[in-house]
Amino acid sequence: MSFRAILIGFVLAMVVAAGGHFNDVYMQQTYMVGNFLPVSVVGFLLLLVLVVGPVLFFIRAGWQFSAAELAVIVALPFAVCVVPGSGLLRSFTPSLALPEHYEKMHSSWQKHEVLSHVPEGLLVGGEQAGLSEEEYLGAFLQGKGGEGQRIGLGDIPWAAWRAPLMRWVPLFLVLMLGLIGLSLMLHRQWTSHEHLVYPVAEVVTQMTAKGEGHALPAALRDRFFWFG
């Protein structure tokens, strides 16, 4: 775990977590995290392995990234891929803001009084915050800015969002810590006793295992790999 590996991993993790939502929702580009082998992480790993690594190797053999460093570099962004993807931001904010809108649009919601079953403070609402529906719901549906007009963080109706965020964000943090703990607990059983293979980790392993005196991993030196 070298300093450069941790630094590069943290920077890439910040790019994925912060830039992924902007890229997916506002730029509407190809998803940065669209599957279990996200191009934003695996593509960057390929760039390191095929371009940066060989350049460093030919400049000075000891400068190239080791397999352990490459593992650290991809492990950190992999851990935050849940943030911009379907696991969180792609559905989190609409799920908090739009139920009130859906209830007005669908008679079945009104008939069964769906929102009456939701505990107070779990969804975005302006009644207790002293905001009108247009100030928090209209702003979410239509946006507050205009062409060539940007809004600042202070223009967001935080009074309507504060209560649900204070309830949901700590839950997400606890869930992430719990999942990390669960993976550590099951890892030895799965790998040592049951000899199960992690498909995503196996791809990274094959792409990073170089061997002494080689600029490229063994898999990328195999002609059958390139035929495929």
Side-chain angles (χ1 to χ4, degrees):
M1 295 181 65
S2 65
F3 175 77
R4 66 175 182 174
I6 295 174
L7 179 62
I8 295 172
F10 266 118
V11 171
L12 183 57
M14 292 173 64
V15 170
V16 171
H21 184 63
F22 180 80
N23 172 82
D24 299 348
V25 176
Y26 299 101
M27 298 296 292
Q28 296 187 356
Q29 304 282 358
T30 301
Y31 286 155
M32 288 184 69
V33 183
N35 49 55
F36 289 109
L37 286 174
V39 64
S40 55
V41 180
V42 180
F44 185 77
L45 175 62
L46 275 173
L47 181 67
L48 290 179
V49 170
L50 293 177
V51 180
V52 179
V55 170
L56 293 176
F57 177 82
F58 288 117
I59 294 175
R60 186 173 180 179
W63 286 3
Q64 67 178 141
F65 292 102
S66 67
E69 286 182 308
L70 292 171
V72 171
I73 289 173
V74 298
L76 293 173
F78 263 135
V80 301
C81 280
V82 65
V83 175
S86 300
L88 188 57
L89 286 183
R90 210 173 291 160
S91 57
F92 174 55
T93 48
S95 297
L96 293 188
L98 296 182
E100 186 174 328
H101 174 68
Y102 291 151
E103 188 174 51
K104 293 181 179 180
M105 297 290 293
H106 300 288
S107 58
S108 59
W109 282 51
Q110 299 169 14
K111 176 182 178 181
H112 297 287
E113 299 181 344
V114 174
L115 292 189
S116 66
H117 301 287
V118 180
E120 185 177 339
L122 293 185
L123 299 177
V124 174
E127 295 181 359
Q128 296 183 352
L131 299 175
S132 67
E133 183 178 312
E134 180 62 28
E135 287 179 295
Y136 66 92
L137 184 57
F140 183 82
L141 290 171
Q142 302 173 9
K144 298 191 67 173
E147 185 175 353
Q149 177 186 2
R150 300 179 180 179
I151 68 169
L153 290 175
D155 297 319
I156 299 174
W158 291 112
W161 284 86
R162 188 175 297 111
L165 288 178
M166 289 179 64
R167 286 164 172 79
W168 287 109
V169 171
L171 176 62
F172 290 145
L173 294 176
V174 171
L175 282 174
M176 290 191 72
L177 291 174
L179 288 172
I180 292 172
L182 185 64
S183 66
L184 293 174
M185 183 177 71
L186 295 177
H187 173 70
R188 184 184 298 274
Q189 171 67 22
W190 285 358
T191 58
S192 301
H193 299 273
E194 299 183 29
H195 300 288
L196 298 178
V197 176
Y198 303 111
V200 174
E202 188 64 20
V203 171
V204 175
T205 299
Q206 295 297 325
M207 290 172 56
T208 56
K210 296 191 224 11
E212 289 294 331
H214 294 286
L216 292 174
L220 299 184
R221 300 196 306 271
D222 189 335
R223 67 181 64 185
F224 288 106
F225 172 84
W226 291 107
F227 285 148

